[in-house]
Amino acid sequence: GAPSAQAHRFAEMLSPEARREVVAAAQKALGDSKGADADVQVPEPTRQDLQLVALNQAIPFVGFGFMDNAILILAGDAIDNSLGVMFGISTLCAAALGNIISDVAGVGMGTVIEEYCARLGLPQPNLSQAQRQLRSVRFTNQFGCAFGLIIGCVIGMFPLLLLDAEKAEKAKDKVHLDDMFKDMVTEAKELIGAEHTGLFLVVDDETETSPKIYNRREKRREGYLCCKHIDGTDNHAHVPIGDGVLSSSALSGKIINVSNLDKEEGAVCRDVAAAYSIDPKSVNNMACVPVHDALGNVVAVIQAINKVGTGTVPSGQYLRRRSTTNWKEKGFTKEDVQVLQALATRISITFEGMHNENEKVHLKDTIKILKEHGTLQ
């Protein structure tokens, strides 16, 4: 502007020495002015003003904390019950993903919360710009933010009252157990050289797919056998408990190992053969090993049909007689049954832990289970 041009022309008229003197005088004048400003004392705000500062900072952060925590819990729970069960991710990973969703929502909703709080017409503190820079005011600002955030987060925990905290863990455990039992059935088929293997759960009706939890020893006379993991697959079917070999094992709780069945005797297997999608008369031999709980009740039965090879754990008699004609004639051996007994014991202990809210099975219960399966004599 004009003053700047005049100052420039004035500086050109001065000698170098005069210019230095003018600059020194200007710097001294500026220093004196700053010193005078520093001597001015900024009054501390009143307690009422500080309370209003804290209030105006706390109210918006109550909204932020409420929204952040509520969305985090709801999103984390949804992820844990879907992706967590499907892919086996941990609960902490699901919570981290839920936090991402919550933070993104916070960015979008932040302006809305601020605008809503501005419409509340909260009383404003009467502070100058200099007073707002005081340490007491800045500390009160931070305290108001923290206090409001804590209150909002606590209120935002209300979804915990509505959600089933153990639902995801139970679903994960069920998937884990199903995978483990499927592997067991597959391994049993290879270990003993069976054509077909299956795990049949003893249930009360056709809608159930999990074994019954017993509080005392009971004698079962009816019900269904829910076949799971036939030959290592996820095929499901419900077979009524009747007169077949498998039903006899489930009702009596005894190991049944039959061999060299003729076509007429094989007909008693028609109910079970339907689960395998095979002709019942093609059943030549069969081994059924019941799975007992700690009280001695039969909760499942492991079944093997048709001995077709020595398996990966060959028995003594097949090492001595390698003729394949023995497989149909002799059927499953004592060693094969012992393998199935060991698997039955493992399944029983796993069931016991699942039914006790995922707690470890007590040693005395484990000993009872081992005795029931003949593993511990």
Side-chain angles (χ1 to χ4, degrees):
S4 178
Q6 293 177 358
H8 185 68
R9 288 195 297 270
F10 176 73
E12 290 179 345
M13 295 172 58
L14 298 176
S15 63
E17 184 177 354
R19 290 176 187 173
R20 286 193 292 272
E21 292 178 357
V22 170
V23 169
Q27 290 176 344
K28 184 176 183 306
L30 288 173
D32 294 342
S33 174
K34 290 182 179 180
D37 291 340
D39 292 337
V40 177
Q41 294 293 329
V42 178
E44 285 289 335
T46 63
R47 177 175 295 182
Q48 182 180 3
D49 284 333
L50 291 177
Q51 290 175 349
L52 292 176
V53 169
L55 178 66
N56 278 270
Q57 292 297 322
I59 296 299
F61 275 90
V62 170
F64 290 140
F66 170 81
M67 181 200 64
D68 186 73
N69 230 16
I71 294 177
L72 186 152
I73 293 172
L74 292 172
D77 181 72
I79 293 172
D80 201 23
N81 282 289
S82 55
L83 298 180
V85 175
M86 187 181 302
F87 298 109
I89 63 176
S90 66
T91 302
L92 287 177
C93 182
L97 294 174
N99 189 50
I100 294 174
I101 297 175
S102 175
D103 290 343
V104 172
V107 173
M109 296 292 293
T111 304
V112 176
I113 294 175
E114 290 177 350
E115 290 179 352
Y116 177 79
C117 291
R119 295 175 185 174
L120 295 177
L122 298 174
Q124 300 296 317
N126 185 20
L127 299 176
S128 66
Q129 190 62 33
Q131 285 178 312
R132 292 181 183 276
Q133 302 303 317
L134 293 175
R135 178 176 295 180
S136 58
V137 177
R138 287 187 281 114
F139 175 79
T140 304
N141 268 321
Q142 295 172 347
F143 175 80
C145 294
F147 183 77
L149 190 64
I150 293 172
I151 297 299
C153 286
V154 171
I155 299 174
M157 293 171 66
F158 82 93
L160 295 176
L161 301 175
L162 310 175
L163 300 176
D164 184 357
E166 298 180 355
K167 181 181 178 181
E169 290 303 320
K170 291 179 180 178
K172 290 179 183 178
D173 288 341
K174 185 176 183 301
V175 171
H176 173 70
L177 289 175
D178 283 346
D179 290 341
M180 184 176 67
F181 293 151
K182 181 163 55 175
D183 292 340
M184 283 185 179
V185 171
T186 304
E187 289 296 325
K189 183 177 180 179
E190 297 176 358
L191 286 171
I192 64 176
E195 183 179 4
H196 302 287
T197 53
L199 175 64
F200 291 79
L201 307 180
V202 180
V203 297
D204 289 331
D205 57 62
E206 295 181 272
T207 62
E208 298 178 2
T209 58
S210 298
K212 181 179 178 180
I213 302 175
Y214 293 91
N215 296 320
R216 58 187 176 86
R217 187 155 188 166
E218 299 179 9
K219 187 173 180 60
R220 178 175 288 275
R221 294 181 176 84
E222 58 184 11
Y224 289 84
L225 294 167
C226 174
C227 58
K228 300 186 70 175
H229 314 309
I230 299 298
D231 293 333
T233 66
D234 292 326
N235 295 334
H236 284 203
H238 284 76
V239 179
I241 293 179
D243 299 326
V245 178
L246 182 67
S247 296
S248 297
S249 180
L251 292 174
S252 66
K254 297 179 180 179
I255 297 172
I256 300 178
N257 184 14
V258 293
S259 60
N260 199 23
L261 289 170
D262 60 31
K263 292 184 178 181
E264 294 303 321
E265 290 175 327
V268 302
C269 308
R270 64 170 58 92
D271 53 352
V272 176
Y276 295 89
S277 300
I278 61 175
D279 182 359
K281 295 184 178 182
S282 67
V283 178
N284 299 315
N285 39 68
M286 179 190 304
C288 296
V289 176
V291 178
H292 298 271
D293 63 6
L295 298 173
N297 296 296
V298 178
V299 294
V301 179
I302 302 177
Q303 183 188 50
I305 292 179
N306 291 345
K307 178 79 171 178
V308 295
T310 58
T312 56
V313 182
S315 57
Q317 72 178 65
Y318 286 145
L319 289 177
R320 295 190 298 269
R321 308 166 97 187
R322 295 179 178 273
S323 174
T324 57
T325 58
N326 288 325
W327 294 338
K328 178 179 178 180
E329 181 181 347
K330 298 296 183 180
F332 295 99
T333 66
K334 179 181 178 181
E335 290 84 352
D336 295 333
V337 173
Q338 288 175 345
V339 170
L340 296 180
Q341 281 183 282
L343 292 176
T345 302
R346 181 68 183 92
I347 291 173
S348 179
I349 293 174
T350 303
F351 274 147
E352 199 70 22
M354 179 180 66
H355 293 157
N356 284 290
E357 301 296 332
N358 300 321
E359 294 179 0
K360 294 182 178 180
V361 183
H362 295 297
L363 179 59
K364 62 180 181 180
D365 293 333
T366 304
I367 293 174
K368 288 181 181 179
I369 291 170
L370 293 173
K371 288 182 176 179
E372 289 289 345
H373 292 90
T375 310
L376 185 65
Q377 300 294 344

